Amino acid sequence: MKHIIMVSLMVIAFAKVYSQGPPITADKPIMLGGGSFTMKTLTEIRNTERGTAVYAPVMLHYLPTSNSLVAIHLPYINYDLADASGSSFADMKIMGKYQFYRKDGMGKTFRMVAKTLQTLPTGEELDLMELSTGKYSGYYGVVAGLETLKYGISSEIGYNSMPDGTLDEFRTKLGFGLPLLKPVYPNNQLNLYFEYTSSWLHERDWYQLMYAQGIQYARKNITFDLALQLPLVQDMPDNRKFNYSLFLGTRYTF
């Protein structure tokens, strides 16, 4: 009887206290309870050989059920590029997710999610990938992840289609999360993230492999994110090469 109680408490604790919060530049298939909202922002300061852009979205995520999610991203951008400068509303995004596979064990869970991200052409035609292109695109992918009390692994593979542009992209992501504190409830956690993003823009014959080192502090239902993303491999014109991106974010779930 004592063993059954201990196992039950561990399962309940894991259901309420994930070892990591959401990744910073990657994604994960873990979802909270149905009917929950998350307000978040993740400001990106992107510096390239072409110039600098500051992208600041306000994002609202809603879970109608425990295995589905819908979201809207309303972004603002300030840019100082070699061929343009100014401030404007960027491309609005609508996201949907559906969790189609879940397998739970004691202190661990593995899940898979189908994901779509529809980018609407509400921004300026700045040719800034994922920020402001002024063109419609649709992304379709699958996110898979294993999370335990000691670590988390997430992966994503997908394709972004831009019918009226040349930014069609094969995209893959791989992330590792490492909690530095023991799981407690209410949540009080410090996490390190190691995240890789691969992008192949086959119409332009461009390729990028990026690495992001992040740190996150999670307290109850609030998280604070900080990450620095750097290029590992770049096969693209010199005047469009990526130097770095700095990410600053907060999330509040209610």
Side-chain angles (χ1 to χ4, degrees), residues 66-104:
S66 60
N67 63 348
S68 63
L69 179 148
V70 292
I72 184 169
H73 298 180
L74 304 173
Y76 173 83
I77 189 169
N78 179 273
Y79 52 95
D80 185 10
L81 308 174
D83 51 353
S85 62
S87 301
S88 66
F89 190 73
D91 295 332
M92 184 172 71
K93 300 178 182 181
I94 299 174
M95 183 169 64
K97 288 183 181 181
Y98 178 73
Q99 181 182 281
F100 61 89
Y101 181 80
R102 173 175 177 173
K103 184 176 182 180
D104 295 332

Side-chain angles (χ1 to χ4, degrees), residues 30-154:
I30 304 296
M31 295 187 184
L32 303 176
S36 63
F37 287 88
T38 298
M39 284 288 297
K40 56 187 290 190
T41 185
L42 185 63
T43 297
E44 178 184 357
I45 303 171
R46 181 185 297 183
N47 181 264
T48 70
E49 291 299 315
R50 187 182 170 206
T52 300
V54 180
Y55 176 82
V58 175
M59 300 175 272
L60 176 62
H61 291 201
Y62 172 62
L63 279 77
T65 65
S66 60
N67 63 348
S68 63
L69 179 148
V70 292
I72 184 169
H73 298 180
L74 304 173
Y76 173 83
I77 189 169
N78 179 273
Y79 52 95
D80 185 10
L81 308 174
D83 51 353
S85 62
S87 301
S88 66
F89 190 73
D91 295 332
M92 184 172 71
K93 300 178 182 181
I94 299 174
M95 183 169 64
K97 288 183 181 181
Y98 178 73
Q99 181 182 281
F100 61 89
Y101 181 80
R102 173 175 177 173
K103 184 176 182 180
D104 295 332
M106 189 172 68
K108 63 181 179 180
T109 183
F110 176 78
R111 306 185 193 189
M112 298 183 71
V113 165
K115 172 183 175 180
T116 181
L117 185 67
Q118 302 296 309
T119 301
L120 307 182
T122 56
E124 300 288 336
E125 293 191 24
L126 301 176
D127 201 41
L128 290 172
M129 186 171 61
E130 298 186 69
L131 303 188
S132 187
T133 65
K135 298 181 183 296
Y136 164 78
S137 66
Y139 173 80
Y140 308 92
V142 175
V143 183
L146 171 68
E147 187 159 313
T148 75
L149 294 173
K150 295 182 178 180
Y151 62 88
I153 304 173
S154 64

